Amino acid sequence: MTTPELDWTTRFSARMSRVRANEIRELLKLLDQPDILSFAGGIPAPALFPAAAIKTAYDEILADPDQSAQALQYSVSEGYLPLRAWIAERMALSGVACDAHNILITAGSQQALDLLGKLFLSPGDTVVVARPTYLGALQAFNAYEPAYLDLPDGALDNGDSADLITARSPRPPLGYFVPDFANPTGESLARAQRDALIDLAYATEMTLIEDAAYRELRFEGEILPTLLSLDIERCGSIDAARTLFCGTFSKTISPALRIGWVCGPRAVIDKLVLLKQGCDLHVSTVNQMALHRTVAVGYEQHLSTLRNAYGVRAQAIGQALARHMPPGVTWSQPQGGMFVWVWLPEGLDGKVLLERSLIEEKVAFVPGEPFFAEVPAANAIRLSYSLPTEAQIEDGVARLAGLIRRMT
Ligand code: PMP
């Protein structure tokens, strides 16, 4: 005799009503076919992984009995101290004077977003975000049942943002921004917008999360200060700041190591450590030790290889878009990172375009709609140039442009 399956949906907690399958991840599974030319996955180019250096690091650690005893053991939730100290020194080079106590190692920056959501959001709290914003951040925050306020384009330039925020009741406690080469747009906040955001955070008493996932991948233009460094300039010290900086080695070394960090006031880091403990105790010790060895030598040179490689591809996609796209299509001009955001003519839905593109052109990309937290827009798509070759970029953009012409 068999009993019917349980209806689990009636048993899940209230917070699960906001936790849904990530459309993009679901979509990416279908796109993993050899004959598809893909601009979809925003993942690092595997040829750029420093595999030999990583192998040497693991070999050396595991060959040494003292090191391997430590590497294969449980360790502290804060993270491997030499790695935290290395990160603190590097943060100091960009205007963030801090020490290892201001750094928590997390399982990628994705875990940092989850822990920060857990720390700062009560159900119904509003998170201020860009329009569009990183879908994975929305996914992380959604489990804490927030509302969203997305800042329209230009709100940081014309001073409207403070009014928009103070008009919300209760006042939004948290803002989340990707100031450098954002996912999905590839765009960065200008210097004046960064200053405006810090002013806004102080004026509205908002805590800021600065997601710096792509910051190291600048291939053009001048380096702009981090929000955290501007905050420290204003308040005097990291422990007085209201910005939490999330960094990651996923885009520069390897996402599989799952190593990111939060840099911020010690009072916040101490609380995050407790949450991290309850969540997964700590990031893999052997991975942290191997990563530390890997970045200790030749990191700058490795970064410049990455920047050159992505810069060439970004230039190729910019030129291909200019050559092939019909009037009415516009796109962002990234100076770093992995993404171009394309606005389609009004009325052309990115999801409909994708359905036809997969069948008629065998070209994949990600529709823009899931990246909008509050007020959606359907006529946009995200193209990632991190994986295709220059020839594939030219071919894929030409095919996509042909389809857009046929559909408009
Ligand atoms: N932030 C942004 C803006 C991202 O694009 C990503 C990866 N897609 C992450 C955070 C998370 O990356 P990880 O957890 O590998 O550091």
Side-chain angles (χ1 to χ4, degrees), residues 178-189:
V178 188
D180 298 290
F181 328 121
N183 182 359
T185 63
E187 278 168 352
S188 301
L189 293 181

Side-chain angles (χ1 to χ4, degrees), residues 25 42-43 106-113 133-137 176-178 180-184 211-214 246-251 254-256 258-261 338-339 371 382:
R25 300 256 147 81
I43 58 179
T106 54
S109 48
Q110 191 65 34
Q111 184 180 49
L113 298 176
T133 190
Y134 170 49
L135 174 62
Y176 165 80
F177 292 90
V178 188
D180 298 290
F181 328 121
N183 182 359
D211 181 339
Y214 300 91
C246 301
T248 180
F249 292 102
S250 288
K251 320 293 175 185
S254 154
R258 306 307 304 134
I259 300 181
W261 71 93
M338 300 179 176
F339 305 108
F371 295 97
R382 187 194 77 178

Side-chain angles (χ1 to χ4, degrees), residues 15 20 59 70 77 95 112 117 132 149 159 164 200 227 264 284 311-312 353 389:
R15 79 180 68 86
R20 294 198 199 102
D59 285 350
Q70 184 182 3
S77 301
L149 189 170
L164 284 170
L200 185 68
L227 296 178
S284 151
V312 166
L353 181 67
T389 62

Side-chain angles (χ1 to χ4, degrees), residues 323-384:
R323 221 176 349 255
H324 300 294
M325 283 296 166
V329 178
T330 58
W331 53 91
S332 61
Q333 314 277 341
Q335 295 192 321
M338 300 179 176
F339 305 108
V340 178
W341 180 253
V342 179
W343 284 108
L344 304 169
E346 201 73 47
L348 180 53
D349 185 322
K351 283 198 285 237
V352 178
L353 181 67
L354 177 63
E355 277 166 26
R356 284 192 52 181
S357 177
L358 287 173
I359 296 164
E360 295 175 33
E361 301 296 342
K362 301 263 181 222
V363 172
F365 53 82
V366 176
E369 195 166 326
F371 295 97
F372 292 89
E374 194 192 10
V375 185
N379 61 320
I381 59 174
R382 187 194 77 178
L383 302 180
S384 166

Side-chain angles (χ1 to χ4, degrees), residues 156-321:
L156 284 174
D157 304 315
N158 57 23
D160 283 355
S161 39
D163 291 344
L164 284 170
I165 290 172
T166 46
R168 281 285 168 104
S169 175
R171 181 135 359 136
L174 193 62
Y176 165 80
F177 292 90
V178 188
D180 298 290
F181 328 121
N183 182 359
T185 63
E187 278 168 352
S188 301
L189 293 181
R191 172 62 204 258
Q193 292 172 321
R194 291 171 198 238
D195 289 328
L197 194 48
I198 295 298
D199 287 346
L200 185 68
Y202 277 82
T204 61
E205 296 181 358
M206 185 165 64
T207 302
L208 281 182
I209 298 177
E210 173 173 27
D211 181 339
Y214 300 91
R215 181 170 167 83
E216 300 280 20
L217 299 184
R218 177 180 285 281
F219 41 74
E220 208 184 297
E222 60 163 333
I223 297 173
L224 294 170
T226 60
L227 296 178
L228 179 54
S229 70
L230 293 174
D231 188 346
I232 291 172
E233 253 176 43
R234 176 174 180 140
C235 71
S237 84
I238 185 155
D239 287 324
R242 57 186 55 218
T243 305
L244 288 318
F245 177 101
C246 301
T248 180
F249 292 102
S250 288
K251 320 293 175 185
T252 56
I253 298 291
S254 154
L257 297 179
R258 306 307 304 134
I259 300 181
W261 71 93
V262 183
C263 178
R266 189 168 176 176
V268 175
I269 298 295
D270 288 350
K271 281 288 184 210
L272 289 172
V273 169
L274 299 179
L275 292 176
K276 170 92 184 143
Q277 226 161 47
C279 178
D280 59 0
L281 298 181
H282 61 79
V283 172
S284 151
T285 324
V286 65
N287 286 1
Q288 292 186 72
M289 291 173 72
L291 177 84
H292 178 240
R293 276 180 176 259
T294 305
V295 294
V297 220
Y299 189 48
E300 280 309 327
Q301 183 158 7
H302 173 66
L303 288 179
S304 77
T305 306
L306 297 184
R307 290 173 187 138
N308 288 338
Y310 291 128
V312 166
R313 289 169 209 193
Q315 196 182 12
I317 204 164
Q319 288 171 350
L321 287 162

